[in-house]
Amino acid sequence: MGRLKRSVLRVALWLVACGALAGPVPIRIGVQAALTGGSSPMGVSMRNGIQLAVEEINASGGLLGRPLQLVERDDAGSPQQGVRAAEELVRLGRVVAVVGLVNSGVALASQPVYQAARLPVMIAVATVPELTRRYAGSTRNYMFRVAAADDLQAPLIVREALSAGYRRLAIFSDTTDYGREGAEGLVRALRQQGLRPVYQARFSLGERDMTGALAAARSTGAEAILTYAIGPELAAVANDADRLDWKVPLIGSWTLSMSNFIDNAGPNAEGARMVQSFLQDTHTPRGQAFVQAYLGRYHVRRIPSPVSAAQGYDAMLLLAAAIRQAGSTAPTAVVAALENLRQPVEGAITTYLRPFTSGDHEAIELSVPTIGRIEHGRIVPARMH
């Protein structure tokens, strides 16, 4: 090999080592999700929705001339693991923003890490109202949400129950922050209607024997059960009610649509009603395109949690729109753009027109949610009363 060729080769190798010939540096987006454990149908669906959005964005040229790259961390639905996941994304992940957060308790524990690091966070599943309001008085609030907050869901749940003619209502909720906040919201919504729950049951994650609480609720003359929990425990409620031969309606938050409720409860899940921001059996062209893309990309016939998937997808699209508008990944510029998005963003759930302001970081409004009903193992639209 001649001296000139060796020199050229050395320069080329040096450039590769420095990254000069490796193409544009990716924009790294963190994803914190419950990818294992009882909340995994939500976490995996959300992560997959985020991935779909990133693949679409990269296929059209990326952002600011750079591809997007996801950096994932599994928090397994544990607040302690959630804090570790957040710290890893902040310190080691070199991410410019985060999309995710499934469980409300995990999100409450994790978000101080992100706020202190001044990282924009798009909450795509967790619903406790405090999540977007804890830092509302700060110079910058880095928390945004694309999910129906609990103070929006609870009145819809109560309205559905009352419209069906039920007035003696029991509340079954888990002991997580999600269950506690949701149950309190249901009590407030009932109070606004001049009612009180006839019975309240609270149970820990992993509880599988609900017979005692169900028997107590039935003895009060409860006509329906309002729920705030996640799939495995909700299935225990439905299955134990069947063992007691109590055909009691279940009406609750969106988590009644989780696949591990529908599958574990089987026929006992039929007829359960829940608040939904998105249905797999959607009739909008954009929503149908998203569902078909999801089913084809992940080779499934049913999205484990359509709500989580669509919210993750839309949250990523909104974040991308903000980065594009800002012309930068600088956190303050991205937050300012999110609070004043000038162009509509067409998502799977809806078309977002200035979804956020400096004083309101909630993208899902009252006009978006509907009521779904389980029918033959699928979530179908239920007529709003």
Side-chain angles (χ1 to χ4, degrees):
M1 181 183 294
R3 182 179 298 173
L4 179 60
K5 288 184 178 179
R6 285 196 297 270
S7 298
V8 170
L9 179 60
R10 282 196 296 270
V11 171
L13 290 173
W14 179 81
L15 289 170
V16 168
C18 293
L21 298 182
V25 177
I27 296 173
R28 293 163 67 87
I29 306 295
V31 176
Q32 182 181 333
L35 301 176
T36 55
S39 296
S40 60
M42 298 184 286
V44 171
S45 298
M46 179 194 71
R47 186 273 314 276
N48 291 351
I50 296 167
Q51 284 183 345
L52 278 178
V54 165
E55 290 171 4
E56 290 179 11
I57 292 164
N58 285 342
S60 63
L63 289 176
L64 312 181
R66 299 162 61 186
L68 295 178
Q69 181 183 41
L70 296 179
V71 182
E72 299 177 7
R73 290 294 184 274
D74 177 17
D75 60 38
S78 159
Q80 293 77 21
Q81 287 186 229
V83 172
R84 287 196 293 271
E87 290 173 341
E88 287 182 15
L89 288 172
V90 167
R91 296 174 184 173
L92 305 175
R94 303 192 310 280
V95 299
V96 302
V98 173
V99 185
L101 297 173
V102 173
N103 303 89
S104 290
V106 177
L108 286 168
S110 303
Q111 69 171 173
V113 177
Y114 295 126
Q115 179 72 17
R118 300 180 179 179
L119 274 184
V121 176
M122 301 293 291
I123 300 166
V125 177
T127 52
V128 168
E130 183 184 353
L131 289 170
T132 58
R133 302 163 200 179
R134 175 186 278 181
Y135 303 107
S138 304
T139 303
R140 288 282 181 184
N141 178 6
Y142 290 86
M143 306 296 143
F144 297 80
R145 175 160 38 207
V146 184
D150 293 326
D151 54 359
L152 187 155
Q153 290 191 63
L156 293 177
I157 295 166
V158 169
R159 186 178 79 179
E160 181 66 18
L162 297 183
S163 297
Y166 307 122
R167 295 187 67 81
R168 298 186 61 80
L169 301 166
I171 296 175
F172 276 53
S173 62
D174 64 38
T175 55
T176 66
D177 288 308
Y178 173 70
R180 175 180 55 79
E181 292 273 354
E184 290 174 0
L186 291 172
V187 170
R188 285 193 298 271
L190 285 169
R191 188 183 303 123
Q192 290 171 357
Q193 302 297 323
L195 298 172
R196 298 172 59 185
V198 296
Y199 182 80
Q200 285 188 261
R202 298 191 69 193
F203 42 84
S204 301
L205 295 181
E207 179 62 58
R208 294 297 180 266
D209 183 2
M210 304 290 182
T211 53
L214 287 164
R218 182 167 61 176
S219 71
T220 68
E223 300 167 325
I225 293 176
L226 310 185
T227 66
Y228 245 97
I230 62 172
E233 289 72 42
L234 291 170
V237 172
N239 291 334
D240 283 351
D242 180 69
R243 291 188 185 96
L244 294 174
D245 196 27
W246 187 26
K247 305 303 181 186
V248 62
L250 299 183
I251 306 170
S253 64
W254 72 274
T255 48
L256 277 167
S257 65
M258 290 174 65
S259 60
N260 55 6
F261 168 66
I262 296 172
D263 294 342
N264 292 335
N268 299 325
E270 290 291 297
R273 294 185 174 219
M274 73 297 294
V275 178
Q276 297 282 269
S277 68
F278 183 81
L279 299 172
Q280 181 169 324
D281 291 333
T282 179
H283 298 295
T284 68
R286 189 73 171 87
Q288 289 176 338
F290 167 73
V291 169
Q292 291 308 310
Y294 188 106
L295 300 181
R297 170 69 172 79
Y298 298 104
H299 310 292
V300 294
R301 297 180 62 186
R302 183 186 67 182
I303 303 174
S305 176
V307 168
S308 303
Q311 289 171 180
Y313 177 81
D314 286 9
M316 187 63 240
L317 292 183
L318 287 167
L319 175 62
I323 293 173
R324 191 179 297 114
Q325 178 176 304
S328 168
T329 59
T332 55
V334 173
V335 167
L338 281 167
E339 291 177 343
N340 187 30
L341 284 173
R342 293 190 290 267
Q343 298 297 321
V345 177
E346 188 178 10
I349 296 171
T350 188
T351 296
Y352 300 88
L353 304 170
R354 295 184 181 271
F356 305 115
T357 67
S358 60
D360 183 358
H361 284 195
E362 301 280 357
I364 300 298
E365 300 176 339
L366 184 60
S367 60
V368 172
T370 185
I371 299 293
R373 184 184 75 254
I374 299 176
E375 186 176 291
H376 305 302
R378 295 180 67 87
I379 307 297
V380 300
R383 181 178 64 83
M384 285 289 288
H385 298 281

